[in-house]
Amino acid sequence: MANERNRIITIANQKGGVGKTTTAINLATALAAIGERVLIIDLDPQGNASTGLGIGRRDRACSSYDVLVGERSIGEAALQTAVPNLFIVPSTMDLLGLEMEIAQRGDRAFRLRQALQTEEAFAYSYILLDCPPSFNLLTVNAMAAAHSVLVPLQCEFFALEGLSQLLETVDEVRRTVNPSLDIQGIVLTMYDSRNNLAQQVVNDVREHLGEKVYHTLIPRNVRVSEAPSYGKPAILYDLKCAGSQAYLQLASEVIQRERRRKIAA
């Protein structure tokens, strides 16, 4: 069970191309901008979150792989990004071999949880876990370590089908490794107000999931798409663009939900 001294949020969707890494980077940047100390752990072998925050391949001497196999601590692996208060444990292609390496270990689903039960990890108020677009041992480790799951959902025809699969996955993780795992919220991404289908998806998701869906809609935005090629979050690349403003609103919603959760507890 995740410790309550910080807030650990897994950002996951088994479908690729839904804005998962973009959401991780920009939500983390927005939280850091309002004074939170934030850590991203890049668990995707492609390493897009690391690249999107300007961490080159040569700078990843220590990675999330090293943390998961127990060779490095969170403190040793975390790198300061160009964003004040924002740190990242980068990813390398070594993660591709992790499942084979630890498959026979009894604690294989809890490697990340163990690494995060340390004073180094408690120094961050938010830890965001960026998962690969599949349900594998890396995603299981992320969900086993987290308090909650934030789901980016693209405003497209098959969105609800993919969401139902992910919710089944969360239920399975609850039953087997993390009974306290909660759905932090569903964030609708790549929204195009000119597209009638996009609005229909928004209406359907809100009808099915109600308050679990964030009010903020993340729009399709060229500046958000351009930002990773410059190694910057969109919020740093172009603060005034519609995408950046949406992620700032999302961060505000995340914090408001956290405050309500603490009051309710």
Side-chain angles (χ1 to χ4, degrees):
M1 190 180 299
N3 190 292
E4 284 290 342
R5 287 170 63 182
N6 54 18
R7 196 67 179 162
I8 303 171
I9 302 173
T10 290
I11 299 179
N13 192 320
Q14 287 145 285
K15 189 175 185 303
V18 299
K20 180 179 52 60
T21 297
T22 300
T23 296
I25 289 172
N26 287 290
L27 176 58
T29 300
L31 290 168
I34 57 176
E36 302 288 352
R37 185 175 165 88
V38 185
L39 175 68
I40 293 179
I41 300 181
D42 190 349
L43 295 171
D44 188 342
Q46 295 177 77
N48 291 337
S50 307
T51 303
L53 283 169
I55 308 299
R57 299 279 173 188
R58 293 180 181 177
D59 299 322
R60 304 178 201 178
C62 192
S63 72
S64 53
Y65 168 83
D66 300 301
V67 171
L68 287 162
V69 297
E71 292 181 359
R72 291 286 189 272
S73 69
I74 291 292
E76 290 171 319
L79 299 174
Q80 168 77 64
T81 71
V83 180
N85 295 322
L86 178 56
F87 299 77
I88 187 167
V89 174
S91 157
T92 63
M93 297 295 281
D94 291 340
L95 282 175
L96 289 170
L98 180 81
E99 196 147 353
M100 196 176 300
E101 215 166 308
I102 66 173
Q104 303 307 314
R105 297 191 59 140
D107 65 348
R108 60 188 175 275
F110 304 104
R111 304 293 297 170
L112 185 57
R113 182 192 293 186
Q114 292 164 4
L116 292 175
Q117 296 299 305
T118 62
E119 290 301 322
E120 295 170 336
F122 297 148
Y124 300 97
S125 48
Y126 284 91
I127 298 177
L128 305 186
L129 311 177
D130 186 36
C131 295
S134 59
F135 184 59
N136 57 19
L137 192 54
L138 291 165
T139 308
V140 172
N141 262 269
M143 290 190 180
H147 296 101
S148 60
V149 182
L150 188 152
V151 184
L153 195 69
Q154 188 175 355
C155 293
E156 60 160 32
F157 182 68
F158 292 113
L160 278 173
E161 183 181 319
L163 179 60
S164 63
Q165 292 173 353
L166 183 66
L167 296 179
E168 286 172 14
T169 298
V170 171
D171 284 340
E172 178 65 21
V173 169
R174 275 199 201 105
R175 285 194 300 270
T176 54
V177 297
N178 187 358
S180 64
L181 187 66
D182 187 26
I183 299 292
Q184 169 82 21
I186 315 294
V187 57
L188 293 157
T189 63
M190 303 183 187
Y191 175 72
D192 184 346
S193 60
R194 300 165 299 180
N195 186 330
N196 291 334
L197 176 60
Q199 188 56 55
Q200 186 61 51
V201 170
V202 171
N203 295 340
D204 288 350
V205 173
R206 287 190 167 147
E207 183 181 334
H208 282 80
L209 291 156
E211 288 301 308
K212 284 293 184 186
V213 185
Y214 289 104
H215 296 295
T216 303
L217 296 172
I218 308 298
R220 282 194 179 275
N221 188 259
V222 172
R223 303 296 276 172
V224 169
S225 301
E226 288 174 349
S229 63
Y230 292 88
K232 292 181 179 180
I235 290 170
L236 223 59
Y237 179 63
D238 185 352
L239 176 62
K240 294 182 179 179
C241 76
S244 295
Q245 290 299 307
Y247 277 114
L248 289 169
Q249 289 173 15
L250 178 63
S252 176
E253 273 199 81
V254 167
I255 287 174
Q256 286 168 17
R257 287 193 182 194
E258 284 304 307
R259 284 176 183 157
R260 289 199 297 269
R261 182 191 60 80
K262 286 175 183 174
I263 291 168

